[in-house]
Amino acid sequence: MLNNEDLGSLLRRCDEIEESFCVEIDAVSTLEELVELERRFLGKGGEISSVSRQIAGLESDDKRTFGQRIGSLRQRIEDGVSQSKIELEAEETSKREEQEAVDLTQYLVFIDTPKLGSLHLVTQAKQELEDIFVGMGYQVAEGPEVETEWHNFEALNIPKFHPARDGQDSFFIDHPDGDYGSLLLRTHTSPMQVRLMQSGELPIYAVIPGKVFRRDTPDARHTPNFHQIEGLVVDKGITMGHLSGTVGAFTKAYFGSNIEARLRPAYFPFTEPSAEFEITCTVCLGEGCRTCSSTGWIELGGCGMVHPNVFSAVGIDPETYTGFAFGFGIDRLVQMKYAISDMRVFLDNDVRFLSQFKGVQ
Amino acid sequence: MRVPLSWLVEYLDLSSLTPYQPFTATFSDAFIDEVTEGLNELGMVVEGVERVSTGLDNVVVAEVLEIEDIEGADHIRKVLVTSDESEPVTVVCGAYNFEVGDKVPFAKVGAVLPGGFAISRRKMKGITSNGMLCSAKEVGLAEDSAGLMVLPEDLSTGALFGEAIGIFDDVVYDLAIEANRPDANSIIGVARDLAPRLGVSFVPPSWSKDLRPSEERDLLELEHSEIVDPDLATRATLALLEAPLRLKESPKIHRRLRLAGMRPISDVVDASNYAMLEYGFPSHPYDYDKVRGGGIRVRVATEAEELRTLDGSLRQLLPSQGGHSGDIVITDLSDTPIGLAGVMGGESSEISASTTRVLLELIAFNRKAIARTSKRLNLRSEASMRFERGVDPAATISVLHRICDLLSTEPISIFDFGDTDPHRRTVEVRVSRVREILGVSELDGRAISLLLAPIGFEVQANGDLLMVRVPTFRPDCETEIDVIEEIARHFGYKKIQGEVAKSPYVGRLTDEQKVQRQLRLLLRDLGIHEAITSTLYARHDHQEVGVEDHPLEVSNPLSQDEVALRMTMLPGHLKALSYNLSRRIDTFSFFEIGRVVSLGESLTYDGLPNERVRVAALVSDKENGAERATQLLSVLLDFFSVDPSVLYSQPSKDTLSSRYGRFPVLHSGRRGGIYDHNGEVLGVVGELSPQLTKRVVEPLSKFRYGWLEFDLEAMLSLSKRAKEAQEISNYTSTDLDLSFEVPESVSAFEVVRLVREVAGELVSSAQVFDVFRSDKLPQGTKSVGVRLRLERLDRPLGERDIKEIIKEAGAAASTELKGTLRDHK
């Protein structure tokens, strides 16, 4: 057994190592230097391991003392290294962040930053209306734009030469007449009512949105194609009270609880009794203004109890079932809501117009 | 229908309403509003309320005392008049048609005449004029007049001029009368309907004298008149009146005609028009001596007949043909047409100043007959409008009476024939049905009877069943439901208690509706704006986008630019593109979900043409529209869960039509077709053809535009949506890049498909990361780099798996693609 050094000199050696570590760790400025320093003191064949090897030549009591000293020295160095590592890493991170700094506002305004597109105002209104009726337990039905004269007129109690055909000048299609007469571009969404009723599934609670066509020269309030939505309810025990209540409920749901609806007598061949429905003027809330010609009310659409002749045409017994229908123009509604002065803007698809109404409305 | 309130109240007993003083005071605002509300709630919608002042506040009746010439003046004279002031005043006047003692309208200083002309004191030739003596034109009673208006002697000097001749400040209601209310196209009809709403009685018109035709004259010819075809008219009342005929109270009549929107024409015509407005029954005057044979006939026009109408046009009349009834005409007894019945009179028998006997025609024509003729000739008049809606056949004698009264005459002969005692229809109405339809339980037989009686419906109750006798002026009321509407109107729509109808269903959108909504949001979120384009285009608009098939066409277009129904959405988007480009907007994209239609049977509805829902998008790019459009397609295929193998690059244009309709022909080098399992095209993608780019785009922008259009239903049918969750691997995936050298004719997509087949189940994705051409590659070849992401569910991927794939890919590339796998040889 060799006894090259006594305990005292070994402990002194340990103190020297500690001192030299303390000096060197302060000089470390990069993570690479720290790794090198760590290797020199803690690595294989490093300072600690070479001095620890001397333990073999000590007495057992001294071994314990020396062992403890080695332990504390190792701890001291390890703490120093990890402390330094944290500091160096933090320094490095902040340096990198400084280098990578950018002006974020530029990304908001770059020419190729992705932009949100937009849904057409008519689509937005249509979907909102559909949602209200879906919430009331209605289905949404859509039908063809090219219709037969029978579905568009005859089945709806509008025979040839009926005065009501005057107001609905139609675009007829150059096509041989079929079983249901000539073809035409539907002048209202009502032919789909006929198809729904013909399908024989009762009761019916449905709304029908869609594009319709009138042979009108475009002006500020008319375009040759526009959109309507209409509702149809056919069930046992349906009364005009239901019509009035339902129109009122829908009006509040769409326009707000401060908007009332009222019915006044009108004439449509496919309903009787028929009514126009008016709502509280949404501009002045009933006070009277230019929009409502000082009446406090604006006309929204037509409605009424399904005419018994319509039921007979589609094979529903009018003594068993009654029903109501109502309808109005979506484009007109949008025109009112957004104060659009001229309807013809819908014909142009001007990007500057379309892109105004996107995202949350 | 324009209704002057002063006229309306003649038929309302307002004595119960206080304070109300007819004719002497202006109507109170409260009364005017009450009438407005009542009319609206009865469905006679008030579209305007006009307050019309007479403009005659300072105009009085004056008597001429002296007339003196003025020295040095040729065209004016000095006139001394007395009116409501203590002293006579001097007026300078330029008219010469009056004498001392005449009564004339005198506008005092301070008067503002109807034309807005303010009267002040003026000096002419040294004489001070203290006001103005007026012509009929100056007081607003004629369009034109010569000289002063000389008044009847019995007017008292100094009286207010307006009051003296029976005209007052008035209120005119402009009413929109519905097609089912023929009765309301008359003052009397409006009054009758309104009376119960105001809580007053309706006062039917009455006259001082009975009609008693003179029996001395023998005018048997008139009785040869006939309705040849009983389908054309039900009753005719003809009367002969002897000229001269003078309208009594003409200032009042003229003013009311004007307020109602008609022009005074002549005494006889004015009386006829006034009675028409009052009763809703039009009449027509003929110069009796120009009616050959002394009688008239009502019949349908025959072959090659013509007629010169009152407006001077020579009109070819249409005979009946192919089941369609021809024009309805009035002929004389020589069978020559002398008028278009109910629509417009003929020139040959027009009354004039020299007419000595007037034949007045009051005929209840058939509604449809008049509607056909007036529609065919596009001639709408106050008269034809009333006949089309239906006149009261019982009214002829009353109207004749009224006209005679207005003209202060009696007929020398009357011939009344046809159905002279029109039947009053009886409609059975069940009280229970009234309640069922209206939802009003408090209505019983008595209450219903009280609502109907004031508007002329007589009710006989028998338990639940009411026998309702409908007045002859309501030809529209034919069935129970028609009467129920009348009950509802007079009960008051706003008194019907509202209740929301409760649907037994849970409302929901269909799957296709949900997909459409999601698709719209997706496209919006990709930065695309939704457009809605027209359905109608010019004939050449389809040809321009390469669709040569015949479109469905409108037979009565508004213009030649709106004839053809769209078979593809592209023409509309080209118009929108042009519109925006010409406003220097070129970076934008549009989408639309809409319907197109082509010849051929509908796949959904019997007897309709092939109408389909299409999705379309127009996208802009700096250099390659096809790239942008196809990238969009890629996202959409992902959205629909449709395999990309549905796309074929550069299809022949013969394959671009199918049961799903026609698709536009795009740039032949930059287009693709989307095909279903049967090889039927359901969509196209690519760049606009160079011709279109050249014409529409290049003059305004350097951009290129891509187009994508597909059939929504067909696309959905290809969808392979995952029904259940797929298991995912617990092991790390490996990427493998393989580059192939392949002939130009091999598409990138084929390379990917080959690699996918080779790697089989191990592939989780395969994408092209690079396509390049270079001098270092053999001529006619290109390099396609494919990045595979590989993983196994059962264990980590090993070297062997990868080597296997590389080996098989190399082999397959050479056998199937005539190419080689690079770098891994």
Side-chain angles (χ1 to χ4, degrees):
Chain A
M1 182 174 289
L2 294 167
N3 190 1
N4 293 338
E5 293 192 57
D6 60 9
L7 176 65
S9 69
L10 282 176
L11 291 176
R12 269 198 304 283
R13 175 80 192 115
C14 285
D15 294 344
E16 283 163 20
I17 291 172
E18 185 168 342
E19 261 169 55
S20 99
F21 173 77
C22 287
V23 172
E24 287 188 44
I25 191 87
D26 280 349
V28 163
S29 63
T30 68
L31 278 170
E32 289 73 31
E33 284 170 22
L34 181 68
V35 169
E36 172 57 21
L37 184 73
E38 188 180 13
R39 193 193 56 74
R40 270 201 296 114
F41 283 88
L42 297 173
K44 265 185 197 166
E47 300 281 359
I48 299 268
S49 82
S50 63
V51 74
S52 322
R53 249 179 262 131
Q54 308 294 332
I55 198 165
L58 293 177
E59 296 299 319
S60 69
D61 279 359
D62 293 348
K63 271 186 182 165
R64 192 183 314 121
T65 311
F66 181 60
Q68 281 169 353
R69 175 63 183 125
I70 290 290
S72 73
L73 177 60
R74 182 182 291 276
Q75 189 62 52
R76 169 75 187 83
I77 292 172
E78 280 174 0
D79 289 352
V81 166
S82 74
Q83 178 61 35
S84 173
K85 193 172 180 182
I86 288 166
E87 285 164 13
L88 286 171
E89 273 175 353
E91 211 170 285
E92 207 155 279
T93 303
S94 70
K95 209 177 281 169
R96 178 168 167 177
E97 284 174 341
E98 218 167 280
Q99 282 163 0
E100 293 179 357
V102 286
D103 163 23
L104 264 68
T105 63
Q106 65 186 315
Y107 303 123
L108 289 178
V109 290
F110 262 177
I111 197 160
D112 50 3
T113 294
K115 309 275 189 301
L116 188 61
S118 54
L119 295 189
H120 199 281
L121 282 180
V122 166
T123 298
Q124 294 184 28
K126 168 178 167 274
Q127 293 186 350
E128 200 178 340
L129 294 164
E130 287 171 357
D131 288 345
I132 288 169
F133 285 106
V134 165
M136 291 167 77
Y138 288 54
Q139 62 159 316
V140 178
E142 284 154 292
E145 290 169 3
V146 176
E147 266 293 1
T148 72
E149 241 182 321
W150 187 83
H151 287 90
N152 196 75
F153 290 128
E154 269 87 347
L156 291 161
N157 199 28
I158 315 175
K160 274 207 166 67
F161 298 110
H162 192 288
R165 283 202 187 186
D166 292 351
Q168 302 198 339
D169 247 352
S170 331
F171 285 116
F172 283 93
I173 307 285
D174 195 1
H175 193 265
D177 285 7
D179 295 345
Y180 291 109
S182 332
L183 296 179
L184 46 75
L185 283 164
R186 63 177 175 190
T187 59
H188 45 189
T189 41
S190 312
M192 191 55 199
Q193 286 193 11
V194 174
R195 293 185 182 277
L196 271 183
M197 289 189 281
Q198 278 183 312
S199 76
E201 282 170 43
L202 294 168
I204 295 168
Y205 287 76
V207 284
I208 305 152
K211 203 176 193 181
V212 299
F213 305 83
R214 300 274 168 92
R215 215 173 152 275
D216 281 336
T217 312
D219 64 25
R221 283 161 64 82
H222 299 91
T223 54
N225 37 221
F226 57 101
H227 302 79
Q228 272 189 342
I229 185 164
E230 63 181 57
L232 173 69
V233 167
V234 179
D235 203 346
K236 290 175 180 162
I238 293 294
T239 71
M240 203 162 159
H242 289 122
L243 166 62
S244 165
T246 304
V247 166
F250 143 74
T251 302
K252 284 193 186 323
Y254 185 77
F255 293 98
S257 55
N258 53 348
I259 302 296
E260 302 283 335
R262 70 176 188 186
L263 306 185
R264 62 156 201 242
Y267 171 70
F268 305 106
F270 30 91
T271 52
E272 189 158 22
S274 295
E276 291 274 2
F277 65 98
E278 297 178 300
I279 60 164
T280 316
C281 177
T282 51
V283 177
C284 63
L285 298 178
E287 294 287 310
C289 67
R290 270 183 54 198
T291 304
C292 59
S293 313
S294 306
T295 60
W297 295 90
I298 38 183
E299 197 178 302
L300 195 62
C303 60
M305 301 300 292
V306 178
H307 199 288
N309 290 355
V310 175
F311 280 139
S312 303
V314 297
I316 292 176
D317 178 8
E319 290 293 315
T320 312
Y321 283 92
T322 50
F324 64 75
F326 57 87
F328 51 91
I330 301 177
D331 308 61
R332 186 61 64 75
L333 196 70
V334 167
Q335 186 182 27
M336 248 157 50
K337 184 168 172 182
Y338 292 91
I340 295 165
S341 57
D342 195 325
M343 205 86 138
R344 282 168 289 194
V345 72
F346 288 128
L347 301 176
D348 297 331
N349 289 302
D350 190 317
V351 175
R352 294 166 299 177
F353 175 73
L354 296 176
S355 60
Q356 286 174 42
F357 313 99
K358 54 191 169 193
V360 179
Q361 292 286 315
Chain B
M1 169 89 192
R2 288 172 58 86
V3 178
L5 186 51
S6 67
W7 199 351
L8 186 68
V9 299
E10 275 184 21
Y11 301 105
L12 296 172
D13 175 9
L14 299 177
S15 57
S16 58
L17 298 183
T18 53
Y20 173 73
Q21 299 161 295
F23 310 123
T24 54
T26 49
F27 299 100
S28 76
D29 287 351
F31 182 68
I32 293 167
D33 289 349
E34 194 186 340
V35 169
T36 304
E37 198 183 317
L39 291 167
N40 275 329
E41 287 179 5
L42 288 163
M44 298 177 284
V45 175
V46 179
E47 298 196 316
V49 181
E50 236 176 89
R51 285 157 196 258
V52 190
S53 108
T54 56
L56 298 174
D57 280 356
N58 274 305
V59 183
V60 296
V61 176
E63 188 179 336
V64 178
L65 299 180
E66 289 172 27
I67 307 175
E68 271 179 45
D69 287 340
I70 301 170
E71 215 179 293
D74 293 338
H75 300 291
I76 51 175
R77 294 185 297 178
K78 178 178 156 189
V79 183
L80 192 68
V81 296
T82 176
S83 59
D84 58 342
E85 282 162 40
S86 49
E87 295 294 316
V89 296
T90 305
V91 183
V92 177
C93 181
Y96 285 79
N97 67 324
F98 59 98
E99 293 164 13
V100 170
D102 277 350
K103 291 188 176 162
V104 292
F106 170 45
K108 300 198 291 181
V109 171
V112 179
L113 294 178
F117 181 44
I119 305 298
S120 57
R121 192 165 278 116
R122 295 171 60 192
K123 216 169 192 180
M124 282 175 278
K125 296 276 177 192
I127 313 285
T128 300
S129 182
N130 298 294
M132 185 172 95
L133 304 182
C134 306
S135 66
K137 184 185 177 188
E138 282 155 349
V139 288
L141 295 174
E143 317 267 288
D144 221 342
S145 50
L148 293 191
M149 180 177 187
V150 178
L151 302 171
E153 286 168 30
D154 56 354
L155 299 189
S156 54
T157 303
L160 275 173
F161 172 68
E163 252 173 58
I165 60 166
I167 65 174
F168 304 89
D169 285 351
D170 214 331
V171 175
V172 182
Y173 293 92
D174 192 359
L175 304 184
I177 301 299
E178 299 282 12
N180 68 332
R181 290 294 311 281
D183 63 305
N185 281 309
S186 70
I187 304 288
I188 287 174
V190 172
R192 185 194 298 112
D193 211 34
L194 181 64
R197 176 56 54 121
L198 294 178
V200 304
S201 323
F202 165 63
V203 187
S206 61
W207 305 280
S208 43
K209 296 182 269 187
D210 280 341
L211 284 184
R212 226 174 295 114
S214 133
E215 287 158 22
E216 295 151 29
R217 316 223 182 182
D218 185 18
L219 281 162
L220 283 174
E221 297 97 328
L222 191 59
E223 303 194 0
H224 290 133
S225 300
E226 59 177 328
I227 298 167
V228 177
D229 181 348
D231 287 346
L232 299 179
T234 55
R235 179 194 189 170
T237 302
L238 305 176
L240 277 188
L241 309 179
E242 212 163 14
L245 293 162
R246 286 279 156 261
L247 195 58
K248 70 174 184 187
E249 296 183 289
S250 68
K252 180 175 108 179
I253 304 297
H254 285 169
R255 176 168 162 85
R256 284 189 176 170
L257 285 174
R258 279 205 196 86
L259 292 180
M262 296 192 85
R263 217 159 34 89
I265 291 167
S266 69
D267 286 12
V268 174
V269 173
D270 292 349
S272 159
N273 283 341
Y274 191 88
M276 172 181 74
L277 293 172
E278 208 164 51
Y279 282 85
F281 199 113
S283 52
H284 184 75
Y286 297 87
D287 184 331
Y288 186 60
D289 296 312
K290 293 177 186 162
V291 176
R292 273 178 286 178
I296 61 167
R297 291 194 181 122
V298 185
R299 65 161 171 83
V300 174
T302 57
E303 204 67 51
E305 277 185 320
E306 56 183 28
L307 171 71
R308 192 173 293 280
T309 45
L310 279 175
D311 59 358
S313 333
L314 185 65
R315 297 175 188 276
Q316 306 302 318
L317 304 177
L318 185 77
S320 299
Q321 49 189 341
H324 293 282
S325 189
D327 291 330
I328 166 172
V329 293
I330 303 289
T331 69
D332 56 24
L333 294 184
S334 78
D335 216 31
T336 308
I338 55 169
L340 275 169
V343 178
M344 193 182 277
E347 208 177 58
S348 66
S349 56
E350 187 178 3
I351 54 166
S352 66
S354 59
T355 300
T356 58
R357 288 183 299 178
V358 172
L359 169 62
L360 205 58
E361 164 212 295
L362 297 118
I363 303 182
F365 293 111
N366 177 297
R367 293 150 71 175
K368 286 177 188 167
I370 302 295
R372 268 194 303 268
T373 302
S374 75
K375 191 165 185 176
R376 185 185 83 76
L377 295 169
N378 198 21
L379 272 177
R380 300 289 164 92
S381 63
E382 293 277 346
S384 70
M385 179 272 284
R386 286 176 169 82
F387 283 122
E388 280 176 37
R389 308 232 159 141
V391 293
D392 177 8
T396 56
I397 296 290
S398 306
V399 178
L400 174 60
H401 211 145
R402 181 51 158 163
I403 293 170
C404 290
D405 179 51
L406 289 166
L407 294 171
S408 312
T409 186
E410 284 175 60
I412 48 178
S413 181
I414 299 178
F415 179 42
D416 188 17
F417 61 105
D419 181 8
T420 54
D421 183 18
H423 166 71
R424 293 185 63 180
R425 182 185 293 122
T426 299
V427 176
E428 294 184 3
V429 176
R430 292 158 296 169
V431 175
S432 54
R433 183 68 174 169
V434 174
R435 294 176 177 175
E436 262 170 41
I437 295 290
L438 303 185
V440 177
S441 53
E442 65 260 37
L443 281 174
D444 57 16
R446 203 183 118 72
I448 290 169
S449 168
L450 285 174
L451 292 173
L452 291 178
I455 55 167
F457 291 69
E458 281 168 31
V459 178
Q460 210 175 11
N462 183 7
D464 187 49
L465 192 64
L466 308 178
M467 304 303 283
V468 178
R469 285 187 78 202
V470 177
T472 50
F473 50 80
R474 292 304 301 270
D476 57 294
C477 269
E478 291 176 307
T479 59
E480 185 181 42
I481 196 71
D482 299 327
V483 177
I484 292 176
E485 183 171 65
E486 291 307 299
I487 297 167
R489 267 192 335 111
H490 280 274
F491 176 73
Y493 279 17
K494 69 177 182 188
K495 279 162 65 188
I496 294 173
Q497 201 64 41
E499 180 190 348
V500 179
K502 291 272 181 292
S503 166
Y505 302 115
V506 174
R508 64 188 296 276
L509 296 176
T510 62
D511 289 347
E512 186 175 325
Q513 286 164 350
K514 280 189 225 163
V515 165
Q516 278 201 28
R517 285 209 182 181
Q518 289 165 3
L519 181 59
R520 281 194 162 90
L521 288 180
L522 169 66
L523 292 165
R524 181 197 70 168
D525 295 346
L526 290 169
I528 310 178
H529 299 296
E530 184 181 18
I532 296 182
T533 60
S534 171
T535 299
L536 297 173
Y537 296 93
R539 290 197 171 88
H540 59 80
D541 286 332
H542 281 107
Q543 287 156 9
E544 192 182 57
V545 299
V547 177
E548 302 286 345
D549 307 65
H550 199 69
L552 279 173
E553 287 186 353
V554 167
S555 55
N556 57 339
L558 277 172
S559 85
Q560 289 307 309
D561 289 337
E562 295 170 355
V563 177
L565 274 68
R566 66 176 175 194
M567 291 190 278
T568 150
M569 315 266 259
L570 185 51
H573 285 255
L574 284 177
K575 288 197 193 312
L577 175 62
S578 275
Y579 176 96
N580 284 287
L581 287 178
S582 67
R583 281 153 186 81
R584 299 180 141 243
I585 305 166
D586 56 8
T587 39
F588 64 88
S589 299
F590 278 145
F591 78 87
E592 181 171 5
I593 303 179
R595 290 164 174 268
V596 299
V597 63
S598 53
L599 285 165
E601 290 287 295
S602 165
L603 306 181
T604 320
Y605 298 105
D606 271 355
L608 291 185
N610 192 15
E611 190 173 316
R612 309 284 306 172
V613 175
R614 288 262 175 102
V615 178
L618 178 81
V619 293
S620 67
D621 190 87
K622 282 186 187 124
E623 47 209 32
N624 187 343
E627 182 180 347
R628 284 291 310 279
T630 313
Q631 282 171 349
L632 176 62
L633 173 63
S634 170
V635 174
L636 292 178
L637 291 178
D638 226 4
F639 171 83
F640 286 108
S641 299
V642 170
D643 191 274
S645 62
V646 294
L647 178 70
Y648 289 85
S649 201
Q650 293 155 35
S652 135
K653 70 178 187 178
D654 310 331
T655 67
L656 298 179
S657 105
S658 71
R659 61 203 287 254
Y660 307 120
R662 314 287 176 269
F663 292 89
V665 176
L666 303 171
H667 188 306
S668 69
R670 290 185 169 186
R671 72 169 171 239
I674 307 167
Y675 298 85
D676 73 3
H677 302 312
N678 303 319
E680 301 228 40
V681 68
L682 64 97
V684 290
V685 63
E687 188 170 282
L688 297 187
S689 70
Q691 303 97 285
L692 284 178
T693 303
K694 217 164 148 185
R695 184 182 72 75
V696 180
V697 183
E698 279 170 9
L700 297 159
S701 168
K702 292 197 167 80
F703 274 49
R704 293 294 189 95
Y705 291 85
W707 180 249
L708 168 63
E709 179 173 4
F710 59 86
D711 186 281
L712 180 59
E713 192 189 27
M715 181 67 93
L716 277 170
S717 71
L718 297 177
S719 176
K720 292 198 184 98
R721 270 167 285 185
K723 293 277 188 293
E724 44 190 59
Q726 300 285 303
E727 200 182 337
I728 52 169
S729 173
N730 284 321
Y731 307 98
T732 312
S733 342
T734 302
D735 281 347
L736 173 62
D737 286 357
L738 297 175
S739 289
F740 297 87
E741 192 181 296
V742 291
E744 277 291 354
S745 60
V746 174
S747 74
F749 184 74
E750 283 173 87
V751 179
V752 170
R753 186 158 48 187
L754 176 101
V755 177
R756 273 182 169 277
E757 271 166 24
V758 164
E761 286 186 338
L762 302 188
V763 184
S764 69
S765 76
Q767 290 172 299
V768 171
F769 64 89
D770 183 38
V771 176
F772 80 92
R773 294 161 181 85
S774 136
D775 300 344
K776 291 171 189 159
L777 296 175
Q779 183 105 40
T781 66
K782 63 186 173 188
S783 166
V784 177
V786 179
R787 178 161 302 155
L788 285 168
R789 172 148 277 227
L790 304 163
E791 59 189 32
R792 298 185 65 113
L793 286 174
D794 54 348
R795 59 170 170 81
L797 211 69
E799 278 293 305
R800 286 179 95 188
D801 297 317
I802 292 173
K803 280 195 175 140
E804 186 76 6
I805 289 169
I806 293 171
K807 192 178 137 206
E808 284 185 29
S814 75
T815 55
E816 292 182 32
L817 303 180
K818 307 261 179 295
T820 52
L821 178 62
R822 302 172 65 220
D823 309 330
H824 291 279
K825 278 165 204 162

